Amino acid sequence: MNSRKKSMTGADIFFECLRREGVEYIFGYPGGAVLKIYEKLYDIDFLKHILVRHEQGATHMAEGYAKATGKVGVVLVTSGPGATNTVTGIADAYMDSVPIVVFTGQVPTHLIGNDAFQEADICGITRPITKHNFLVRDVSELATTIKQAFYIASTGRPGPVVVDLPKNVINSITEFDYPDKIELRGYKPRVHGNQNQIKKAAMMIQKSKRPLLYVGGGVIMSGGHRELYLLAKENNLPVTMTLQGLGAFPGSDPQSLGMLGMHGTYWANQAVNNCDLLISLGARFDDRVTGKIETFATKAYKIHVDIDPTCIDKNVIVDLPIVGDVKHVMAELAAEISEKPDVTEWWEQIHAWKEECPLEYDMSDGRLRAQYIIEKLSDLTKGDAIVVTDVGQHQMWVAQYYKFNYPRTHITSGGLGTMGFALPASIGVAFAVKDKPILCITGDGGFQMNMQELATAAYHKLPIKIFIINNSFLGMVRQWQELFHAEKYSFTDLSDSNPDFVKLAEAFDIKAYSVSNISDVEPVLKEALSYNEGPILVDFRVVKEDMVFPIVPAGASISDMIIRRLDPKEMM
Amino acid sequence: MLHVISALVENKFGAFNRVVTMFSAKGYNIHSISIGETEDPTISRMTIVTEGEDKVIEQIVKQLNRLIDTIKIVDLTYQPKVQRELLLISVGYQKGTRSEIIDICEIFRGNVVDINNKTLMLEITGPPEKIDAAINVLEPYGIKEIARSGLVALRRGEQIRKNKGETETNKPGELK
């Protein structure tokens, strides 16, 4: 039902729309073009505005909030530099299909194009990295545009939407009319897959000897983890997950093969190479997963379930595409399977691979290693924490050694690989999740890219556990330099320039420790996990030259994975 | 191979730009592109001529469909269609060649639309091959300037014939 029409300013309409969309938090930063909105915000009590320290932080916070809850994350920034500072976060959300709506201020419409103070064509800039964007040219379009923005961001394959708000639009007055429903003739996301295709897929599963479920972030986004669990358990199917898929299926379940791809487990990659049926569920055959396309899963009949038709046949040509919401498709698929496939031999083979090359690291030299810390964390939290990671070696070690048992508990920047993601994203998570520990596992490099947000975390006393895996190097780049670039450690050594992270934290009144000894790890982790008065930071001084293994070199076949560090002579 | 893609898009600010941005972001090539309002003033039709293997074209069509502002995308390449392009061409003339150029123009069923003491401007419409042929024939006379509109195309309508009281429907383009 429409409420009685009422004259309102653009700024009032803005908040009324957010109220109706159920927005709880806005991550934002004020500035000239959005002053009118901030004036109204002063008296608003149905939502909370979180003042960030840099607009990029705001976008990652919105992403963290959205990934942890499935709701739309909301950002509010000013025009010009405020808007351009959100670009990295928007691109990150686009690559990982995260529903966020970014409201940017804009100069008044009559000044657009004039190179006015703090003017930037943010719609032009963000066109290739948003699902859609809007420049609101008249206040009469404002309510409908906001409704459309939330609808587009959260439906179909989710993604970021930018709404650009010129200053005069915010100040103008119009009759408020919020549409009940949105009808976009050019946008009709498809929920149900083709029945015949699903029947055919069920038949293929029944007669397969070596089936494999290849699960991506789409399963988590669609809320399909239960459907996945039933499909996999009832038919005894092995499950391998992408980086974004971790948590969709319990990592400690014997049917989980862990992550596949560049830093995936040996047995998961062997399973991909040797399966006769590959069922991709909400994944996109990213190059970090497939390695060399020509040699990827060549023996397999390939089924691809995805809500986005552009993902199908984009990288790998598949035999049976099913376009639809993966949650519904999995439920329908499970219902169609009348006979379980015989996978006894297949499982024997997978177990043999697992024994052949397990994930392992060597602690015999008595030095502290990241893998050990992460395994300890996994044990102490029993896989029931929200783990937010940055980008690099620590991210891959978390993916390998932390056993994610629940969906929406692993939050990381996958597609874009944005260093500096973890700290702000974990702040966004902390506003959404109150009943689980929030672990921000980051590197010494990535942490410094958005460390200004320590102020945001400290001010709100958020119980985030910030664990810096500090090897005084840009470790992943260092690893590639060692393996593929003639050991020229070009500009990756941070040991002479890293700050004292403990002192840094203390400057924000954040409790902090530095740990270098193995024996200190467990007590410090326990203390951090039980401390809930505010953020706590631990600087773990780990081995410099450690590498993430296994690794498939970029562009190589996944069968050519390097399992461990070789003697330099062996590598010639 | 060249493909002709017909796209109905929202007739609003930024829609054209979104389509072009998609092509450049994905590294697809645009051979020609034209846009204009349709019978419904809220909708524009874009005719895009692009190049690529079938797999690439399939992706282009999907990527176009994915844009919020696009309403309907059809690859007309293998469909029966009418396609036209407009050519404006300015050709230099001397004593004796003027009537030859006007003859050529008539053969191509074009019009002379402008003349001064050095050049003739011709207007010729037709499918791209005809335009190419006209340019080729006029080349020896000295082409000063060319403007091509880019292709516009529409799918042919279904042919319905009444035969002994029953209606027979042919698929479009199957002209008997």
Side-chain angles (χ1 to χ4, degrees):
Chain A
M1 291 289 285
N2 282 340
S3 58
R4 227 179 317 135
K5 288 182 183 174
K6 201 168 120 185
S7 280
M8 290 165 77
T9 66
D12 285 325
I13 290 172
F14 174 79
F15 284 110
E16 184 54 25
C17 293
L18 295 195
R19 192 182 66 78
R20 295 192 186 203
E21 291 297 330
V23 175
E24 304 168 293
Y25 293 100
I26 301 180
F27 302 97
Y29 205 97
V34 286
L35 276 172
K36 189 79 183 172
I37 292 181
Y38 273 86
E39 182 191 320
K40 294 286 169 196
L41 185 58
Y42 199 80
D43 299 319
I44 294 271
D45 51 10
F46 59 84
L47 56 73
K48 207 169 163 194
H49 175 273
I50 309 302
L51 177 66
V52 301
R53 292 300 182 275
H54 184 287
E55 290 88 348
Q56 185 190 349
T59 52
H60 294 323
M61 287 178 207
E63 283 188 276
Y65 175 86
K67 283 186 167 187
T69 61
K71 295 187 218 164
V72 177
V74 180
V75 174
L76 171 63
V77 298
T78 191
S79 63
T84 55
N85 276 346
T86 64
V87 167
T88 302
I90 292 169
D92 191 90
Y94 187 64
M95 290 287 267
D96 286 344
S97 311
V98 188
I100 62 171
V101 175
V102 178
F103 293 99
T104 54
Q106 184 53 279
V107 301
T109 46
H110 68 272
L111 285 180
I112 288 178
N114 265 12
D115 296 336
F117 177 64
Q118 292 196 327
E119 181 187 355
D121 173 15
I122 197 64
C123 279
I125 291 168
T126 59
R127 209 158 272 146
I129 53 166
T130 49
K131 188 168 170 188
H132 198 62
N133 61 22
F134 298 94
L135 168 61
V136 184
R137 297 160 82 83
D138 191 279
V139 70
S140 62
E141 302 164 6
L142 181 60
T144 315
T145 304
I146 294 176
K147 179 94 182 170
Q148 287 179 352
F150 278 84
Y151 175 68
I152 290 169
S154 59
T155 53
R157 178 179 180 177
V161 177
V162 168
V163 182
D164 203 16
L165 302 168
K167 194 169 183 173
N168 57 325
V169 169
I170 297 169
N171 293 341
S172 309
I173 293 174
T174 192
E175 282 192 343
F176 176 68
D177 183 12
Y178 204 56
D180 295 330
K181 256 173 81 178
I182 287 294
E183 191 66 20
L184 288 162
R185 55 188 169 184
Y187 178 68
K188 307 245 184 284
R190 191 161 158 188
V191 174
H192 293 282
N194 179 301
Q195 284 305 316
N196 290 331
Q197 306 277 77
I198 291 173
K199 280 196 179 113
K200 196 169 174 202
M203 210 177 68
M204 293 307 295
I205 292 176
Q206 280 171 203
K207 66 177 193 192
S208 70
K209 295 270 175 288
R210 301 188 307 278
L212 178 65
L213 298 181
Y214 150 44
V215 170
V219 171
I220 294 173
M221 268 174 243
S222 73
H225 53 280
R226 284 186 202 89
E227 286 75 5
L228 170 67
Y229 190 78
L230 290 177
L231 177 68
K233 292 306 272 188
E234 283 184 8
N235 300 291
N236 198 15
L237 304 172
V239 182
T240 180
M241 287 162 276
T242 68
L243 182 66
Q244 296 293 0
L246 293 172
F249 187 80
S252 39
D253 190 286
Q255 274 172 246
S256 165
L257 310 190
M259 186 171 73
L260 79 166
M262 182 174 273
H263 292 294
T265 61
Y266 172 74
W267 56 97
N269 282 335
Q270 284 293 353
V272 171
N273 270 343
N274 292 286
C275 63
D276 66 353
L277 176 66
L278 184 73
I279 305 148
S280 167
L281 301 166
R284 60 187 175 92
F285 294 89
D286 173 70
D287 59 273
R288 264 13 188 196
V289 160
T290 62
K292 193 176 175 187
I293 294 278
E294 292 76 20
T295 56
F296 177 75
T298 46
K299 298 167 190 161
Y301 182 90
K302 299 180 192 74
I303 300 172
H304 189 177
V305 184
D306 207 295
I307 200 159
D308 181 0
T310 62
C311 280
I312 288 169
D313 287 350
K314 183 175 67 181
N315 300 329
V316 170
I317 304 292
V318 296
D319 302 287
L320 182 64
I322 302 175
V323 175
D325 186 317
V326 68
K327 176 186 163 121
H328 289 94
V329 173
M330 285 189 297
E332 286 164 353
L333 188 55
E336 286 289 338
I337 300 172
S338 50
E339 210 177 298
K340 292 175 188 179
D342 176 12
V343 288
T344 328
E345 270 180 49
W346 180 224
W347 271 114
E348 279 168 20
Q349 175 66 71
I350 291 172
H351 289 312
W353 284 322
K354 199 167 178 173
E355 269 164 46
E356 193 183 331
C357 285
L359 278 177
E360 59 189 0
Y361 54 93
D362 184 8
M363 293 288 284
S364 57
D365 60 3
R367 296 193 297 162
L368 184 58
R369 288 188 149 74
Q371 299 94 314
Y372 172 79
I373 300 164
I374 291 158
E375 251 187 344
K376 269 273 161 289
L377 267 173
S378 185
D379 293 344
L380 288 172
T381 59
K382 300 184 180 62
D384 194 14
I386 314 268
V387 183
V388 187
T389 60
D390 216 81
V391 172
Q393 288 184 312
H394 73 275
Q395 181 191 31
M396 292 298 115
W397 282 319
V398 168
Q400 291 177 336
Y401 290 96
Y402 193 95
K403 299 276 176 267
F404 291 96
N405 285 329
Y406 305 95
R408 300 195 181 281
T409 57
H410 176 235
I411 290 167
T412 194
S413 165
L416 196 67
T418 308
M419 284 173 70
F421 173 86
L423 177 62
S426 61
I427 291 172
V429 174
F431 283 109
V433 179
K434 306 289 182 193
D435 57 347
K436 287 185 184 191
I438 295 153
L439 319 181
C440 168
I441 304 179
T442 182
D444 49 312
F447 175 74
Q448 290 183 70
M449 281 204 183
N450 268 321
M451 63 184 173
Q452 76 285 349
E453 301 305 338
L454 281 177
T456 314
Y459 176 74
H460 292 279
K461 298 194 166 38
L462 302 173
I464 301 167
K465 292 98 182 61
I466 304 162
F467 300 130
I468 303 177
I469 304 295
N470 180 0
N471 63 354
S472 303
F473 255 99
L474 301 177
M476 188 57 95
V477 183
R478 201 212 76 98
Q479 169 167 350
W480 282 52
Q481 289 171 333
E482 179 174 337
L483 289 173
F484 313 118
H485 293 275
E487 297 177 49
K488 305 281 186 203
Y489 299 117
S490 185
F491 298 95
T492 45
D493 186 352
L494 306 179
S495 49
D496 294 336
S497 54
N498 266 346
D500 180 329
F501 290 110
V502 172
K503 278 190 192 160
L504 181 82
E506 282 166 358
F508 290 93
D509 210 12
I510 291 173
K511 201 170 176 179
Y513 297 98
S514 183
V515 170
S516 312
N517 297 322
I518 297 171
S519 56
D520 293 337
V521 171
E522 197 163 331
V524 170
L525 288 181
K526 279 182 174 161
E527 182 181 344
L529 288 169
S530 61
Y531 179 76
N532 288 313
E533 317 308 309
I536 184 166
L537 183 147
V538 186
D539 174 25
F540 287 106
R541 303 299 188 92
V542 299
V543 173
K544 275 185 176 43
E545 64 279 2
D546 245 6
M547 295 207 270
V548 183
F549 288 112
I551 175 174
V552 179
S557 303
I558 52 181
S559 53
D560 296 337
M561 65 191 327
I562 305 171
I563 305 292
R564 63 194 156 81
R565 181 185 246 120
L566 297 173
D567 188 80
K569 281 173 214 138
E570 273 183 273
M571 287 175 65
M572 298 300 276
Chain B
M1 174 181 168
L2 289 179
H3 279 247
V4 180
I5 294 169
S6 181
L8 292 176
V9 303
E10 296 283 352
N11 184 10
K12 63 185 184 196
F13 175 81
F16 177 80
N17 197 312
R18 268 175 231 288
V19 170
V20 175
T21 302
M22 188 284 287
F23 272 83
S24 76
K26 299 282 172 187
Y28 303 137
N29 185 26
I30 298 177
H31 200 83
S32 80
I33 193 164
S34 70
I35 184 166
E37 226 173 77
T38 62
E39 68 283 2
D40 176 349
T42 67
I43 296 178
S44 304
R45 182 185 298 277
M46 293 177 75
T47 311
I48 305 159
V49 180
T50 182
E51 200 170 357
E53 293 168 21
D54 287 355
K55 192 190 154 199
V56 174
I57 301 296
E58 194 189 317
Q59 262 298 317
I60 290 175
V61 170
K62 285 197 234 176
Q63 293 285 354
L64 284 169
N65 261 315
R66 189 192 198 201
L67 299 173
I68 310 282
D69 281 344
T70 55
I71 299 160
K72 194 177 180 199
I73 315 292
V74 183
D75 181 0
L76 289 176
T77 312
Y78 304 111
Q79 308 252 11
K81 60 188 171 294
V82 177
Q83 41 181 352
R84 291 290 181 269
E85 202 179 346
L86 169 69
L87 169 74
L88 290 177
I89 185 166
S90 169
V91 187
Y93 71 88
Q94 279 112 33
K95 248 187 195 166
T97 64
R98 196 181 82 183
S99 55
E100 281 180 32
I101 293 168
I102 294 172
D103 276 354
I104 291 168
C105 181
E106 275 173 14
I107 290 167
F108 283 98
R109 300 189 207 293
N111 298 310
V112 179
V113 290
D114 186 40
I115 185 163
N116 64 11
N117 51 9
K118 286 187 201 143
T119 59
L120 279 166
M121 195 196 292
L122 315 179
E123 166 199 343
I124 296 170
T125 61
E129 312 86 68
K130 178 179 160 188
I131 303 297
D132 291 341
I135 294 170
N136 185 39
V137 174
L138 290 167
E139 186 151 35
Y141 297 97
I143 294 170
K144 304 291 179 202
E145 274 187 308
I146 281 180
R148 295 176 76 151
S149 64
L151 194 71
V152 291
L154 273 184
R155 194 170 187 271
R156 283 185 189 275
E158 285 195 1
Q159 297 295 327
I160 299 165
R161 292 176 193 184
K162 281 190 177 162
N163 200 2
K164 287 179 197 166
E166 54 187 46
T167 308
E168 183 194 325
T169 308
N170 287 344
K171 284 195 175 153
E174 284 181 359
L175 293 172
K176 285 179 182 167

